[in-house]
Amino acid sequence: MDDGREDEKKEGEQEPQGAVGGEDVIDDPILEQGAVILRGYVVDRINTEDPGRHVSSEDLGGRPNELQDPQVKEVVDQLIKIADELNRNAELQQLINQVQGDCAQDIFMKVARNIFADGINWGRVVALFHLAYRLIYRALTSNHLDTIRTVISWVLQVIKDLLYSWLIQQGGWVGVIRGISRWRTVAIVASLVLVATFVYYRKTR
């Protein structure tokens, strides 16, 4: 499995253009679906928290109807269930709300590495998605639309560099449907994102 991945890297050392997750998405099902699921997560969060905004996947650089896939919907629904627990943490929300919308890539990557520093699970994946959602939402509300594709590309880079092998082991993104140990995930999400966001905030204030 890893050997095949190494071969792919050798054939195209240059970062594929589709890493932005738009019309030119790379021919890699893990990264391609990751971009779609991230957009689905962001669309759901925004339409729930700010229903007057009416955001679609296309507004985030996606394709028409890409979120209609039943499997994508189910994966997004599972991630949202984890996020709903995360949203109940008032202290965490306060810290996330203080994150600067125009953060630099190196800061974002440092936070991402912190989140996954001592292991990977679906709760930590949601932590990454939730941070990206906050940055994308701020880009939308401040009309910095170029930032949306930039943040999506950062998340896909994290998936490529840190999560790819683990996602393969889970059977892809559908692994979240059967792979959640709920009590453990929620505790990890709350503690790790709190720490990661605090580190991020301290470095950007």
Side-chain angles (χ1 to χ4, degrees):
M1 214 172 288
D2 285 339
D3 291 342
R5 182 68 190 148
E6 286 301 317
D7 290 340
E8 283 179 29
K9 283 184 180 175
K10 287 173 188 170
E11 286 172 16
E13 286 293 336
Q14 191 174 356
E15 179 64 19
Q17 288 301 306
V20 297
E23 292 285 348
D24 55 352
V25 141
I26 47 302
D27 295 325
D28 185 309
I30 294 288
L31 294 177
E32 182 174 1
Q33 196 171 44
V36 174
I37 290 165
L38 173 59
R39 285 192 290 266
Y41 179 91
V42 171
V43 166
D44 187 282
R45 290 285 85 184
I46 292 175
N47 289 342
T48 298
E49 296 181 14
D50 188 2
R53 192 159 286 278
H54 302 299
V55 173
S56 72
S57 184
E58 290 169 274
D59 295 323
L60 307 180
R63 297 181 296 272
N65 303 318
E66 67 179 8
L67 302 182
Q68 299 309 308
D69 183 311
Q71 191 175 81
V72 168
K73 283 183 174 180
E74 192 170 2
V75 170
V76 170
D77 284 348
Q78 291 296 330
L79 296 179
I80 292 296
K81 285 177 184 175
I82 301 174
D84 285 342
E85 295 293 336
L86 183 152
N87 281 333
R88 294 191 180 102
N89 185 320
E91 185 181 9
L92 171 60
Q93 287 307 305
Q94 186 176 8
L95 283 173
I96 287 178
N97 287 336
Q98 293 171 333
V99 172
Q100 301 296 316
D102 57 351
C103 74
Q105 181 176 7
D106 61 333
I107 299 295
F108 183 91
M109 292 299 176
K110 180 155 193 166
V111 172
R113 285 192 290 272
N114 263 351
I115 292 172
F116 301 108
D118 59 349
I120 303 170
N121 59 43
W122 290 111
R124 300 179 191 213
V125 173
V126 170
L128 174 69
F129 275 30
H130 198 73
L131 181 59
Y133 150 65
R134 298 303 306 178
L135 295 175
I136 289 171
Y137 179 71
R138 287 182 191 180
L140 279 169
T141 55
S142 60
N143 208 32
H144 292 143
L145 302 185
D146 288 347
T147 303
I148 295 170
R149 288 170 69 86
T150 299
V151 172
I152 291 174
S153 74
W154 292 349
V155 174
L156 292 182
Q157 192 65 49
V158 172
I159 292 170
K160 183 169 176 276
D161 292 349
L162 302 180
L163 308 182
Y164 197 96
S165 296
W166 181 82
L167 284 164
I168 293 288
Q169 290 167 8
Q170 308 307 306
W173 291 95
V174 294
V176 71
I177 297 168
R178 61 180 180 274
I180 293 178
S181 172
R182 195 166 178 279
W183 64 270
R184 190 162 162 260
T185 299
V186 170
I188 288 169
V189 169
S191 61
L192 280 181
V193 182
L194 185 59
V195 170
T197 308
F198 181 65
V199 167
Y200 179 96
Y201 174 58
R202 272 181 19 197
K203 290 185 175 296
T204 56
R205 55 181 305 183

